[in-house]
């Protein structure tokens, strides 16, 4: 099972030539992960941070396959490619344009890696390929 989210390419995503400026893809990846946590896991970032936890990205790998232009709409798909004790790697694709792997780590209140909480791990397992 994969999570899906569509993102329209707007002026703020583009360079002067009207092509997505590559760091904006990192923002889109984070947006898809953030919305996945809220919509599929039921644990929004706002609640996570308010409770003193975090899920920072520890590694981000991106393959840029084709440019995206102002006015395009990208259909993003996220699936859990790997699920470890304290980390997970998400595979995110947006049509034929980009493929990204984002490794996140669950952090406890002391900013140390900790095992996935019982309310999160099963939701990740449901999206694990």
């Amino acid at each position: 099972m994969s999570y899906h989210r569509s993102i329209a390419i707007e002026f703020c995503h583009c360079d002067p030539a009207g092509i997505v400026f590559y760091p904006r893809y990192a923002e889109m990846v984070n947006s898809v992960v953030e919305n996945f946590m809220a919509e599929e896991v039921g644990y929004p970032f706002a609640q996570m941070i308010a409770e003193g936890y975090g899920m920072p990205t520890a590694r981000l790998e991106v393959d840029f396959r084709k440019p995206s232009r102002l006015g395009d709409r990208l259909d993003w798909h996220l699936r859990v490619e790997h699920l470890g004790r304290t980390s997970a790697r998400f595979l995110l694709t947006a049509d034929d344009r980009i493929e990204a792997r984002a490794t996140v780590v669950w952090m406890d209140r002391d900013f140390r890696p900790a095992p996935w909480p019982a309310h999160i791990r099963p939701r990740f397992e449901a999206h694990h390929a």
Side-chain angles (χ1 to χ4, degrees):
M1 182 162 87
S2 71
Y3 170 73
H4 171 264
R5 181 161 192 261
S6 184
I7 298 176
I9 301 303
E10 299 174 339
F11 181 77
C12 64
H13 297 125
C14 298
D15 63 16
I19 298 171
V20 170
F21 183 47
Y22 69 92
R24 299 295 181 237
Y25 280 120
E27 293 172 348
M28 289 182 222
V29 164
N30 189 73
S31 175
V32 173
V33 169
E34 184 171 350
N35 282 276
F36 166 74
M37 290 300 293
E39 296 170 13
E40 294 292 317
V41 178
Y43 197 50
F45 275 20
Q47 180 182 352
M48 181 189 308
I49 291 169
E51 293 175 358
Y53 299 103
M55 196 181 79
T57 300
R59 181 180 177 96
L60 181 62
E61 300 172 66
V62 181
D63 290 320
F64 303 99
R65 307 222 187 269
K66 240 170 105 171
S68 298
R69 299 184 182 280
L70 181 61
D72 288 349
R73 179 167 288 281
L74 298 182
D75 289 317
W76 286 86
H77 293 271
L78 175 152
R79 67 180 173 90
V80 178
E81 187 174 57
H82 172 77
L83 181 58
R85 190 176 76 80
T86 63
S87 67
R89 184 175 58 246
F90 300 126
L91 173 63
L92 299 102
T93 56
D95 302 318
D96 59 349
R97 312 297 172 85
I98 186 170
E99 181 177 282
R101 284 178 169 81
T103 302
V104 297
V105 178
W106 182 253
M107 303 294 266
D108 67 14
R109 290 183 171 121
D110 296 326
F111 297 101
R112 295 178 185 209
W116 291 107
H119 67 285
I120 293 177
R121 187 173 189 88
R123 305 298 281 178
F124 280 13
E125 289 170 346
H127 291 273
H128 188 251

